[in-house]
Amino acid sequence: MHQLQAALTAASLDQAEEASAHFAEAERVAQLTGSDPWRMEFTPANVGVWRVNIALENGEPERAPEYARRVDRTALRTRQRLAHLHIGAGRGLYLAGDSEGAVRQFLTADQVSKSELRSRPTVREIVGQMVRDSRTRGGSDQLRDLATRLNIDPLAPNGEPV
């Protein structure tokens, strides 16, 4: 877990090589770990979830959805980790220019764990921006539904009166 945290920190500091080295070590050790007695979910599946977020921090958002697709969702033990995977994939899709795909991922995360999705300021910022950027008033039906779930008025995403 320390290697994963070091990889994420290095990626956020624009140190891609160091991030890659830490991630590779975490991935290697996760393959050797046979059990999870402390319930920290240090498993290959969870390492894959971390990989999605490391890609986002590394300035490679277009790779996040690709990495997310590779994760064995059935091997994730908690709804929180599964929701986190969908949130990361959604962020990557949004940053890569696929807003509709991002909305689908966020809605899936909301189905998995409402509290995980709705407590993320980054998601609220992205959804608010998508609503503001939509060409039709409030965006697609799915986007309006997502905005409403996040308590963002799809007709007044900046909080101004409708």
Side-chain angles (χ1 to χ4, degrees), residues 49 52-53 55-56 61 63-65 68 81-95 102 105-106 109 117 120 123 126:
V49 174
V52 170
N53 291 290
L56 292 167
R63 300 193 79 184
R81 296 312 299 155
L82 181 57
H84 203 67
L85 176 67
H86 288 289
I87 291 167
R91 288 177 57 205
L93 287 164
Y94 172 73
L95 293 169
Q105 288 294 321
F106 292 152
L117 178 85
R120 300 276 174 190
V123 173
I126 290 171

Side-chain angles (χ1 to χ4, degrees), residues 45 65 68-77 82 85-86 89 105:
R69 281 190 291 277
R70 296 180 190 173
V71 173
D72 177 4
R73 288 160 173 76
T74 63
L76 294 171
R77 292 186 183 150
L82 181 57
L85 176 67
H86 288 289
Q105 288 294 321

Side-chain angles (χ1 to χ4, degrees), residues 13-149:
L13 295 172
D14 230 6
Q15 299 171 355
E17 277 187 42
E18 188 171 337
S20 182
H22 285 294
F23 180 80
E25 180 62 11
E27 191 173 43
R28 183 187 73 76
V29 173
Q31 295 296 327
L32 301 174
T33 305
S35 67
D36 188 18
W38 295 289
R39 308 297 277 172
M40 294 181 68
E41 201 162 349
F42 186 68
T43 63
N46 191 37
V47 168
V49 174
W50 280 76
R51 185 178 202 177
V52 170
N53 291 290
I54 291 166
L56 292 167
E57 291 297 328
N58 238 1
E60 302 173 306
E62 68 284 350
R63 300 193 79 184
E66 168 193 336
Y67 292 147
R69 281 190 291 277
R70 296 180 190 173
V71 173
D72 177 4
R73 288 160 173 76
T74 63
L76 294 171
R77 292 186 183 150
T78 66
R79 296 170 87 45
Q80 180 263 348
R81 296 312 299 155
L82 181 57
H84 203 67
L85 176 67
H86 288 289
I87 291 167
R91 288 177 57 205
L93 287 164
Y94 172 73
L95 293 169
D98 183 0
S99 294
E100 289 180 25
V103 169
R104 285 191 300 276
Q105 288 294 321
F106 292 152
L107 286 170
T108 301
D110 192 58
Q111 289 173 346
V112 170
S113 175
K114 290 173 179 36
S115 63
E116 189 64 29
L117 178 85
R118 296 177 189 189
S119 67
R120 300 276 174 190
T122 304
V123 173
R124 289 183 55 78
E125 290 172 20
I126 290 171
V127 172
Q129 189 62 51
M130 285 191 289
V131 170
R132 286 188 295 277
D133 290 346
S134 69
R135 292 178 185 213
T136 60
R137 190 111 163 107
S140 69
D141 289 344
Q142 285 186 318
L143 177 56
R144 285 192 303 276
D145 178 38
L146 178 60
T148 301
R149 292 179 191 201

